[in-house]
Amino acid sequence: MPNDELFRELLEVRAKHVRGQIARLSDEIREVTLAHRDTPADDEHDPEGSTVTLERERDVALLAGVELQLTELRNAQERLSRGTYGTCERCDQPIPPERLEVRPEARYCVACAGIRARER
Ligand SMILES: [Zn+2]
């Protein structure tokens, strides 16, 4: 049985960190977008233009990644309150606490995570 209190705290700390990243990236994207709007949309003749677009695309991709992380963390918090936390969703075996300490949002044990990665 995983130590619920410990993982509740771990998940909360991570979620806080990820929410900070989301706020920072959203700000960056907004700033870049606003800065870009003030300059004429002429990427071809404006070397700045393509840099700005690339930077924004990178930020948007990063943002999608951290938002997914936040969703995973929220799901884990839900499992914790339902009492199903720390059980592999594929084989119903307990996930080792060492794994949960590294990846508190883990839904699968190491073996099943490997199988799922290969199935993809
Ligand atoms: Zn499993």
Side-chain angles (χ1 to χ4, degrees), residues 88 90-93 108-109 111-112:
C88 176
R90 192 173 176 279
C91 68
D92 270 339
Q93 295 300 306
Y108 306 103
C109 67
C112 291

Side-chain angles (χ1 to χ4, degrees), residues 43-108:
D43 284 6
E44 237 177 288
H45 302 103
D46 173 16
E48 280 280 295
S50 51
T51 313
V52 164
T53 309
L54 275 179
E55 201 176 310
R56 188 171 49 196
E57 272 173 12
R58 193 207 56 193
D59 282 350
V60 168
L62 278 174
L63 184 63
V66 287
E67 275 178 345
L68 197 70
Q69 241 178 298
L70 186 61
T71 307
E72 292 278 309
L73 289 166
R74 284 208 179 118
N75 290 342
Q77 284 172 325
E78 248 182 65
R79 291 196 297 279
L80 204 54
S81 54
R82 276 203 312 262
T84 59
Y85 183 76
T87 302
C88 176
E89 287 185 5
R90 192 173 176 279
C91 68
D92 270 339
Q93 295 300 306
I95 302 172
E98 306 85 65
R99 171 165 168 77
L100 291 171
E101 276 167 31
V102 181
R103 269 190 66 118
E105 74 279 25
R107 284 194 286 157
Y108 306 103

